[in-house]
Amino acid sequence: MRNPVLLHKTASQVQQELEACIGCNECLLACPALDEPLTIDVLNRETFGGPISAPVARFARSCYQCGACVPPCPVGLHRDAMMMWLKIRLYRSGEED
Amino acid sequence: MPASRSSSPYDYASDREWAGTRGYPLFFMYIKPRNLLRVALGLLIIVAGLAFCIWYSRNGSDPTPDSLVGLIYAVLGTVFLLLAGLLYSLHRRSRKSKKVIGGLRSALGWHMFFGLTGLALIFYHSFGNFNPRSGTYALYGLIALVISGIIGRSLDRIMPRLIAKEASKALTQEGEDRIEAISQQLQAIVEHNMQRVRGLTPSPASASPAISAAPERGGSAGRGRTLHGPWDLAYLTLEETPQELSRYEQSYRLVPDRKSPLSRPGALLPGAQEQMAALQAVEHAMRREQFYRYVIRYWRIFHILLALVTAGLVIWHLEYAASLVIPTLFH
């Protein structure tokens, strides 16, 4: 069993991972939290910056950081860390309100 | 959405299309029509099963767990629980099933559906008879398992939100590492204060005449220089030795007055205490984040272990029930 680690990454690390994503959708196919059709390019576009659409926000809130998305990634990226960044953005937007 | 709107990570549009995309509430629920259908089907099975159980208990000829009705409840409940246990696990491990986005989420929904309805059916199977020890333990195991599942599902909702809150504390507004930012600020404060302290030491021009005159008098006997002694080793010079020179040198040590604000601890490091406190706060936040991650992970392991224990108890009860039912069937 893998050891739990602090998964939150900095914005620059998240951006690097987003740039390295090849858009194969494997992480989304392995996700037990995603309940509606969502494409990886939309998710990637909205993860780092800009407005967050309702489906992406719902997905970000539903993600429970199980890590099922990490092993299928062919380039070894951490989608859970990217989702955490999205969660942080949502959390901060709520704090601003 | 036009990309031009995304000027900063916290820039959100106010269009109706994008409404409801701000904030991260602690409790939230998204129910889709197909999920509603599943909930309705589950409630129908539970309510219909309960209604029949009550009716049969009052009007039936043999309202016992080993009666025909009781056994039908038992078989249905066992099948439902088997489906709950196997469907999701197989779905998750199957490569083919992963090819549909949302397929695993649907399997998780059915896992909960079969778990809850299966428990209800097994409960009706007992008809309020809790005398057989094996059956009672199996029922208790199932109740604990379902409760642990419900708690786990709640933790899956609450813990990531708490993790996001703690991770937010560990990152700057721009999303960079706060510890690194604080360390840099501390370093800047220390350097600034070192410059201030250095500023208090006298410059060579303002040193005492004794010191400034010393090299002239001592010739080459200044600090850091080698003594060029005369050829006669028995010759004793009357000039000051380096030790004597350092004795004359005035040392500037800041001793602030008791009433001076400089006498307070940390006065020479303005802002350092705040930075240290912020550093500790970030460390605590990271520790809490790790704890929440442990809770999510180990609750899932606990649920699986509980499922294995319950499966053992159910097998024990089935073996006991078979020893009672099979002879009855053959005679």
Side-chain angles (χ1 to χ4, degrees), chain B residues 71-251:
Chain B
L71 287 176
I72 289 170
Y73 271 131
V75 170
L76 280 174
T78 309
V79 168
F80 273 37
L81 289 169
L82 276 174
L83 287 171
L86 295 176
L87 263 184
Y88 180 63
S89 307
L90 293 176
H91 209 93
R92 194 166 181 170
R93 282 160 183 79
S94 158
R95 278 264 146 210
K96 196 179 171 185
S97 65
K98 284 185 183 174
K99 297 302 172 192
V100 182
I101 287 180
L104 263 175
R105 176 67 189 80
S106 180
L108 186 62
W110 285 112
H111 170 77
M112 291 185 280
F113 166 84
F114 284 123
L116 287 166
T117 49
L119 174 68
L121 292 172
I122 292 292
F123 193 75
Y124 305 150
H125 153 69
S126 72
F127 279 109
N129 181 358
F130 300 111
N131 290 332
R133 210 185 300 166
S134 63
T136 308
Y137 286 162
L139 183 64
Y140 287 164
L142 284 172
I143 291 169
L145 182 63
V146 169
I147 290 173
S148 83
I150 293 167
I151 293 172
R153 195 75 190 118
S154 310
L155 289 176
D156 282 347
R157 290 294 180 99
I158 296 165
M159 288 294 153
R161 199 259 188 193
L162 295 176
I163 291 171
K165 184 183 171 187
E166 301 304 335
S168 175
K169 288 179 191 168
L171 294 171
T172 63
Q173 200 61 22
E174 293 76 31
E176 293 309 318
D177 191 8
R178 195 181 287 269
I179 287 184
E180 201 179 316
I182 294 170
S183 303
Q184 283 173 357
Q185 281 175 349
L186 264 175
Q187 180 71 22
I189 288 168
V190 168
E191 279 177 13
H192 172 77
N193 285 306
M194 279 176 72
Q195 282 168 2
R196 277 183 62 190
V197 171
R198 225 177 276 139
L200 291 169
T201 56
S203 61
S206 64
S208 70
I211 296 171
S212 54
E216 290 165 18
R217 282 188 281 148
S220 60
R223 183 176 274 190
R225 295 178 190 171
T226 52
L227 282 170
H228 298 287
W231 61 271
D232 186 1
L233 293 176
Y235 173 76
L236 288 171
T237 178
L238 294 175
E239 293 171 356
E240 290 92 341
T241 60
Q243 289 80 11
E244 285 168 332
L245 280 172
S246 68
R247 202 183 301 150
Y248 298 144
E249 191 177 315
Q250 290 181 24
S251 58

Side-chain angles (χ1 to χ4, degrees), chain B residues 1-36:
Chain B
M1 197 65 199
S4 58
R5 286 186 182 174
S6 56
S7 56
S8 87
Y10 309 105
D11 183 20
Y12 295 86
S14 57
D15 295 357
R16 191 175 296 171
E17 184 192 349
W18 299 79
T21 60
R22 291 173 69 89
Y24 190 170
L26 193 57
F27 300 103
F28 59 92
M29 190 170 276
Y30 306 122
I31 299 178
K32 298 193 82 180
R34 70 161 181 257
N35 295 345
L36 268 180

Side-chain angles (χ1 to χ4, degrees), chain A residues 1-13 25-26 28-40 45-68 71-72 80-81 84-97, chain B residues 1-2 5-13 17-25 28 30 32 34-35 88 92 95 97-106 108 153 156-157 160-161 163-165 167-178 286-287 289-290 293-294 296-298 300-301:
Chain A
M1 193 181 69
R2 68 193 173 92
N3 291 322
V5 287
L6 289 178
L7 272 179
H8 81 258
K9 293 197 172 194
T10 61
S12 48
Q13 287 170 326
N25 262 342
E26 285 294 325
L28 297 186
L29 290 166
C31 180
L34 181 57
D35 203 14
E36 53 194 314
L38 194 70
T39 53
I40 194 83
R45 194 171 58 238
E46 294 181 16
T47 295
F48 187 71
I52 302 171
S53 64
V56 172
R58 277 198 295 271
F59 176 40
R61 292 182 194 122
S62 303
C63 166
Y64 48 89
Q65 298 280 297
C66 65
D80 50 356
M84 180 48 68
W85 173 242
L86 207 44
K87 281 172 180 286
I88 291 169
R89 287 185 58 211
L90 283 171
Y91 174 77
R92 285 181 173 175
S93 71
E95 291 287 295
E96 282 171 12
D97 291 343
Chain B
M1 197 65 199
R5 286 186 182 174
S6 56
S7 56
S8 87
Y10 309 105
D11 183 20
Y12 295 86
E17 184 192 349
W18 299 79
T21 60
R22 291 173 69 89
Y24 190 170
F28 59 92
Y30 306 122
K32 298 193 82 180
R34 70 161 181 257
N35 295 345
Y88 180 63
R92 194 166 181 170
R95 278 264 146 210
S97 65
K98 284 185 183 174
K99 297 302 172 192
V100 182
I101 287 180
L104 263 175
R105 176 67 189 80
S106 180
L108 186 62
R153 195 75 190 118
D156 282 347
R157 290 294 180 99
R161 199 259 188 193
I163 291 171
K165 184 183 171 187
S168 175
K169 288 179 191 168
L171 294 171
T172 63
Q173 200 61 22
E174 293 76 31
E176 293 309 318
D177 191 8
R178 195 181 287 269
M286 288 171 78
R287 245 177 269 146
E289 181 187 346
Q290 193 168 33
R293 287 187 186 281
Y294 272 116
I296 293 176
R297 175 158 300 180
Y298 287 108
R300 195 161 294 130
I301 292 169

